[in-house]
Amino acid sequence: MTHSPVQRALPRFPGGTSLSHLCVYDWETPDGLHGGSPHLHTVSTEAYVVTAGRGEVHTISAEGPARDELAAGSLLWFTPGTIHRLINHDQLEMQVVMSNAGLPEAGDAVLTFPAEVLADPEKYQAAATLPLDADEPARAKAARARRDLAIAGYEELLEAMTEHGPQALERLYAAAGHLVRPKVGQWKQIWEATVLAEAERTRAQLDALDQGDATHLSQAQVVRAEPRPDPRLYGMCGRLQTWTGHEAPFE
């Protein structure tokens, strides 16, 4: 089956950068905190630019578990494979910057479900997918159940790291790679149409400038973005606001 690349209305920076606004869940978690679902990305880098409130981000990487406080002005980056979990202490909000626009939306994120769920693609898909046609209360309930299951797996991972060290991460990464492998063909199409295309555009512009040709500057444009209509999406970490764009007339 052939999949066409994801169509996006907003322009892209080289690298396929995307932007969203996140209000982190204030739902109580089974371990007495408040926040979102722990997960990792298999190929995309993510950054948090905190704009309001207070909280923490809990991470697990090859360096082990860590906790970083978050407040307005905080900036953190996560490279692929970093397990991260947002904790909301007081109305935590942020802008989320992602590389490889289109790939996270196509399943690049893998939730830290318990090992038995990660090992079964059908179980994983059933646990990770929110009902599309349900009303808001039903979608919220499903998002919360998904979050709680990811936290259960996250706690298993912390225990396994105490017992086995980095080997526990290797098992998680292997499971994540197995889960996303069927999607990689589609991801390559998206990557070629977005990330690679924008990098090649910059290459062409540099080559033109090197030859004394600046005609691409005559194609300058302004793009205005409008928030997508409510309700906000139920993301892994909170309620997401995204934007659509249209070209503004020259003035």
Side-chain angles (χ1 to χ4, degrees):
M1 181 177 180
T2 301
H3 298 274
S4 60
V6 172
Q7 299 297 314
R8 300 179 65 85
L10 292 176
R12 304 177 188 91
F13 292 116
T17 305
S18 65
L19 177 70
S20 59
H21 180 260
L22 175 67
C23 293
V24 179
Y25 292 130
D26 60 3
W27 300 331
E28 186 173 0
T29 60
D31 55 358
L33 301 173
H34 298 79
S37 308
H39 63 283
L40 61 86
H41 296 277
T42 60
V43 294
S44 299
T45 294
E46 181 174 16
Y48 293 157
V49 185
V50 180
T51 55
R54 296 183 305 105
E56 296 179 346
V57 60
H58 296 180
T59 58
I60 305 175
S61 67
E63 299 177 351
R67 298 188 178 194
D68 288 279
E69 293 185 0
L70 299 176
S74 297
L75 171 63
L76 284 91
W77 293 80
F78 308 103
T79 55
T82 303
I83 298 103
H84 47 287
R85 175 192 181 189
L86 277 171
I87 305 300
N88 187 351
H89 291 328
D90 181 20
Q91 301 182 39
L92 183 61
E93 297 184 22
M94 62 189 67
Q95 302 291 348
V96 179
V97 184
M98 293 289 303
S99 68
N100 298 322
L103 298 190
E105 296 88 339
D108 168 45
V110 174
L111 291 144
T112 58
F113 291 148
E116 65 178 278
V117 179
L118 291 173
D120 187 324
E122 291 187 4
K123 285 184 179 179
Y124 180 89
Q125 187 67 23
T129 303
L130 302 183
L132 293 177
D133 299 327
D135 58 19
E136 280 291 290
R139 287 178 61 78
K141 182 178 180 180
R144 192 163 182 165
R146 178 178 70 178
R147 189 273 314 269
D148 291 350
L149 186 63
I151 291 174
Y154 182 83
E155 291 175 341
E156 284 185 3
L157 178 61
L158 287 174
E159 292 177 2
M161 288 197 68
T162 300
E163 184 175 353
H164 303 291
Q167 184 179 354
L169 276 179
E170 293 173 6
R171 287 196 287 263
L172 171 62
Y173 292 158
H178 179 70
L179 283 169
V180 303
R181 186 178 182 184
K183 305 174 184 177
V184 173
Q186 179 194 7
W187 289 2
K188 288 181 178 178
Q189 294 181 35
I190 295 171
W191 180 84
E192 289 172 355
T194 55
V195 180
L196 180 60
E198 291 304 313
E200 291 295 346
R201 185 195 304 273
T202 301
R203 184 202 300 273
Q205 292 169 347
L206 289 171
D207 288 344
L209 289 171
D210 193 37
Q211 298 297 317
D213 179 3
T215 55
H216 68 275
L217 298 179
S218 64
Q219 301 170 10
Q221 59 181 217
V222 176
V223 177
R224 288 195 175 93
E226 299 293 338
R228 293 186 184 275
D230 285 336
R232 286 181 173 234
L233 302 173
Y234 283 97
M236 294 185 179
C237 296
R239 301 302 299 270
L240 287 171
Q241 175 68 68
T242 58
W243 290 266
T244 60
H246 61 274
E247 296 179 9
F250 289 99
E251 298 180 31

